[in-house]
DNA sequence: CGGCTTATCGAGAACGGTTGTCAAAACCGT
DNA sequence: ACGGTTTTGACAACCGTTCTCGATAAGCCG
């Protein structure tokens, strides 16, 4: 049976707080900073669990797994700021259809797709421009 | 200055031979099998180099980096068989445009996107079906 | 409420892929 | 062929993640 522990809730809350993609380690650090005594392994376990149950999205960037709280059950993609991690959920019916059609055309079945856009959000763009051209 | 070594050529050849996405370790193993004395670190370095120069594509799956020889200079995406690693290069202007437009709409700049489709190729689909319903 | 069962936790060790270090070897313009 | 510089190979170090295992506590049941 699945149990409810304060650790699980703490991770859920911290993830919701983050508002963008964060690594397990970063989440652990911020929890510790907030006075929690939660263990790193627990954060990893909980995040994996949340991702399995569809309460979190995950993606790999530069060799580490990032997680983000997400609206459960809905299929969507992300627009992610490379610098600050801010994330926008986006829907993309045209892409969904394109993916399905392309897979079928080549005889592929059980197709899933990865569609993410990385860039600099408006704020970070401004900051970067100011820094490079003072 | 950049130099040409037999190791570099060996990696290039092995990568072309593979015909799909392979891990650095797998490539190293197959090179060794073929009698080469190339070191693992060299395979890693060479693959990173090839990817930088646009001679290879790379993606992350289950915590490891996979590489594949690709037609240099062209921007394209992949349709990848989860089981056997076979890969088809696909072009997707509609998706390119969609990505550019979506990023711009949200004020994002310097946008890059990741678009890959994973599934089972025709051959593996047949094999899987046969196995599950004998 | 007070046991009892068993999932979950914490601490640290283990693991696997990747990258760094540095002396020795190879490359290439001269 | 020579000499400066890059690249290699062997191995250690790294880093994120997972495993192990005794301790802890959640939830059920009387």
């Amino acid at each position: 049976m699945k149990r409810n522990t304060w650790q699980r809730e703490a991770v859920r809350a911290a993830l919701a707080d983050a508002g963008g993609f964060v690594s397990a380690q970063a989440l652990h650090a911020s929890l510790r900073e907030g006075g929690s005594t939660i263990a790193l392994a627990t954060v990893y376990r909980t995040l994996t669990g949340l991702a399995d149950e569809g309460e979190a999205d995950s993606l790999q960037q530069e060799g580490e797994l990032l997680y983000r709280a997400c609206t459960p059950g809905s299929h969507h993609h992300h627009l992610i700021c490379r610098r600050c991690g801010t994330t926008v959920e986006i829907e993309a019916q045209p892409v969904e259809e394109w993916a399905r059609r392309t897979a079928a055309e080549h005889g592929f079945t059980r197709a899933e797709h990865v569609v993410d856009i990385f860039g600099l959000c408006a704020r970070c763009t401004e900051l970067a421009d100011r820094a490079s051209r003072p």
Side-chain angles (χ1 to χ4, degrees), chain A:
Chain A
M1 176 217 316
K2 207 179 70 172
R3 294 180 184 176
N4 270 341
T5 64
W6 64 265
Q7 288 94 335
R8 190 174 202 76
E9 282 316 309
V11 170
R12 236 199 287 259
L15 193 59
D17 251 27
F21 278 91
V22 266
S23 69
Q25 313 240 14
L27 211 56
H28 177 242
S30 82
L31 281 162
R32 284 282 176 151
E33 209 129 320
S36 174
T37 62
I38 195 170
L40 179 58
T42 303
V43 176
Y44 273 104
R45 280 188 290 240
T46 306
L47 285 173
T48 312
L50 290 175
D52 284 351
E53 298 155 28
E55 291 196 52
D57 283 339
S58 71
L59 62 83
Q60 279 187 316
Q61 204 194 8
E62 290 162 27
E64 66 181 0
L65 275 161
L66 304 181
Y67 293 88
R68 175 171 196 270
C70 80
T71 60
S74 86
H75 177 75
H76 53 254
H77 301 288
H78 295 104
L79 182 52
I80 303 139
C81 177
R82 255 196 295 276
R83 210 210 258 337
C84 68
T86 300
T87 306
V88 184
E89 290 190 1
I90 50 187
E91 306 217 348
Q93 289 93 327
V95 177
E96 309 296 329
E97 275 168 42
W98 166 84
R100 205 172 325 124
R101 191 157 33 78
T102 305
E105 270 171 20
H106 291 83
F108 275 60
T109 60
R110 272 157 265 207
E112 295 176 13
H113 53 270
V114 177
V115 174
D116 289 305
I117 309 181
F118 296 88
L120 290 184
C121 72
R123 219 164 66 81
C124 289
T125 300
E126 204 186 337
L127 289 173
D129 283 355
R130 199 171 301 167
S132 72
R133 188 179 358 93

